[in-house]
Amino acid sequence: MTDSGVREVIVIGSGPAGYTAALYTARAELKPLVFGGAIFVGGALTTTTEVENFPGFPEGIDGPVLMENMRAQAVRFGAEMIDDDIVEVDLTGDIKTVTDTAGTVHRAKAVIIATGSGYRKLDLPKEDELSGRGVSWCATCDGFFFRDRDIVVVGGGDTAMEEATFLTRFAKSVTVVHRRSTLRASQVMQNRAFSDDKISFAFDSEIAEIKAADGKLAGVVLRDVFTGKTRDLDVTGLFIAIGHDPRTELFKDQLELDDAGYLKVEAPSTRTNIAGVFGAGDVVDHTYRQAITAAASGCAAALDAERYLAALADGTNTTAREDALQAVTG
Ligand SMILES: Cc1cc2nc3c(=O)[nH]c(=O)nc-3n(C[C@H](O)[C@H](O)[C@H](O)COP(=O)(O)OP(=O)(O)OC[C@H]3O[C@@H](n4cnc5c(N)ncnc54)[C@H](O)[C@@H]3O)c2cc1C
């Protein structure tokens, strides 16, 4: 095990939240060290094609290009990037430690956690390769591309009903596919969906197969979960709304999480229950989950970290420190 000296700040995550935190802390001359992940460098937007709702790009921008640009902008101001996973953390002391896959221990006075949240998948062949080509996990992001199309939405909870209802603005038809005979969604969301003429339901059903033609979604096969009988559904859009999992496994023994496993912060700040540890982006946010909101909270986390470090340097107590001590000691 080697040791690489004490940094001002370490950022874990290279999505819009992590790169924005890196940019701001780099411009504040804090020389951030950024862990971007071993295989998921650039975060969720690298798995999509056109991004049309990130401000500043009137013609839209390719997701991976947007993330390369964010990275280059942070590097330009001195952010150091290591594309590796953090596998262990000790956030409790004044000096925090994070350990990478090679066993190298990195130390810092402040840590910004921006590890994002993974959309649950159906785990079917072609699902990943058709992401951004007919398969989506986000109606707000992609609904606009599905004008006058026939769409299927998978899921039975509030998110699925919200996505289905939102998609009727664009779609010709929306079929909600749910494995059970009743929905899990709240009554008000169910009522809204049931009363929408464009929405129909396939209960006790699941997606058995995703079909592709010319690199795009070309329909799905539905299977009745009781009889096993299959039928084709002629759709060109598949929205998967079966939940998401915040990447907080690493922190769960040290940081407070909410019931759904998201990092708890003292909104509107990004402070966690431990002084000097900040949370940003989708790992904190189960409401908005957009690139721009993730970037905004990465900025907030950087500013919070800057203030924390400034207070540490001049020996004044920070609210973060007092609050965190209170939270920890009760
Ligand atoms: C297919 C798809 C299309 C989308 N389209 C749009 C869109 O058009 N517009 C829009 O606004 N939003 C879109 N979104 C949502 C948007 O991508 C997310 O809201 C945003 O990326 C969240 O940013 P984040 O920085 O919080 O997390 P992420 O982008 O998820 O990044 C998390 C980062 O953490 C890293 N990481 C995780 N664990 C570790 C670890 N242990 N060690 C080191 N690094 C780690 C990962 O490698 C990754 O870099 C889309 C999402 C998907 C999946």
Side-chain angles (χ1 to χ4, degrees):
M1 200 185 280
T2 53
D3 193 318
S4 55
V6 180
R7 295 269 178 165
E8 291 297 299
V9 60
I10 283 176
V11 178
I12 310 177
S14 61
Y19 281 158
T20 306
L23 170 65
Y24 273 73
T25 50
R27 291 193 73 249
E29 311 223 304
L30 295 173
K31 299 187 174 50
L33 176 61
V34 182
F35 287 90
I39 43 174
F40 201 33
V41 181
L45 278 189
T46 59
T47 64
T48 194
T49 47
E50 193 79 351
V51 177
E52 287 192 334
N53 56 7
F54 199 88
F57 301 95
E59 306 304 325
I61 182 164
D62 197 49
V65 175
L66 177 61
M67 297 319 299
E68 271 302 316
N69 288 349
M70 284 194 200
R71 181 184 178 101
Q73 196 173 353
V75 167
R76 178 183 155 211
F77 293 103
E80 192 183 325
M81 304 284 168
I82 297 182
D83 294 336
D84 195 6
D85 282 332
I86 293 302
V87 291
E88 203 180 317
V89 296
D90 183 352
L91 304 169
T92 50
D94 277 354
I95 303 296
K96 328 293 178 192
T97 66
V98 308
T99 307
D100 64 24
T101 58
T104 306
V105 177
H106 305 265
R107 298 185 294 158
K109 296 173 195 162
V111 172
I112 296 173
I113 298 169
T115 46
S117 164
Y119 288 87
R120 285 190 200 143
K121 296 188 174 177
L122 299 172
D123 287 330
L124 286 174
K126 304 196 188 75
E127 184 178 2
D128 281 335
E129 74 189 59
L130 295 179
S131 170
R133 294 174 173 82
V135 175
S136 173
W137 285 264
C138 173
T140 308
C141 312
D142 298 331
F144 194 80
F145 298 121
F146 289 81
R147 214 165 268 286
D148 294 324
R149 307 260 210 105
D150 295 307
I151 294 176
V152 61
V153 172
V154 184
D158 274 342
T159 306
M161 292 315 106
E162 203 177 321
E163 303 266 280
T165 310
F166 177 77
L167 286 167
T168 58
R169 294 178 194 201
F170 315 99
K172 192 156 42 149
S173 75
V174 176
T175 306
V176 174
V177 173
H178 185 43
R179 266 204 266 203
R180 305 188 203 294
S181 51
T182 52
L183 299 170
R184 273 183 298 105
S186 60
Q187 200 56 50
V188 60
M189 295 303 294
Q190 291 195 31
N191 292 347
R192 204 173 291 162
F194 284 136
S195 64
D196 194 315
D197 289 344
K198 282 191 181 174
I199 300 179
S200 59
F201 291 84
F203 287 112
D204 299 321
S205 300
E206 61 189 5
I207 307 281
E209 189 188 332
I210 295 173
K211 298 203 279 187
D214 301 326
K216 290 186 188 149
L217 180 78
V220 296
V221 178
L222 291 192
R223 179 169 48 221
D224 185 297
V225 293
F226 293 116
T227 64
K229 221 174 132 193
T230 58
R231 69 179 166 104
D232 283 332
L233 202 60
D234 191 14
V235 291
T236 51
L238 165 61
F239 282 77
I240 301 164
I242 53 174
H244 15 80
D245 298 304
R247 297 191 193 93
T248 48
E249 184 63 25
L250 208 52
F251 317 108
K252 69 178 190 320
D253 296 330
Q254 296 171 46
L255 295 176
E256 283 181 11
L257 309 182
D258 70 11
D259 291 344
Y262 287 80
L263 269 192
K264 260 192 182 175
V265 294
E266 282 171 59
S269 90
T270 61
R271 298 190 303 247
T272 66
N273 60 300
I274 295 183
V277 181
F278 306 89
D282 284 11
V283 73
V284 172
D285 167 25
H286 31 106
T287 308
Y288 303 109
R289 294 194 305 267
Q290 291 295 289
I292 190 67
T293 50
S297 83
C299 161
L303 297 179
D304 287 342
E306 254 176 78
R307 284 171 196 152
Y308 172 80
L309 290 166
L312 268 191
D314 64 32
T316 55
N317 263 351
T318 64
T319 319
R321 199 177 186 78
E322 286 163 4
D323 287 352
L325 272 175
Q326 240 172 21
V328 170
T329 58

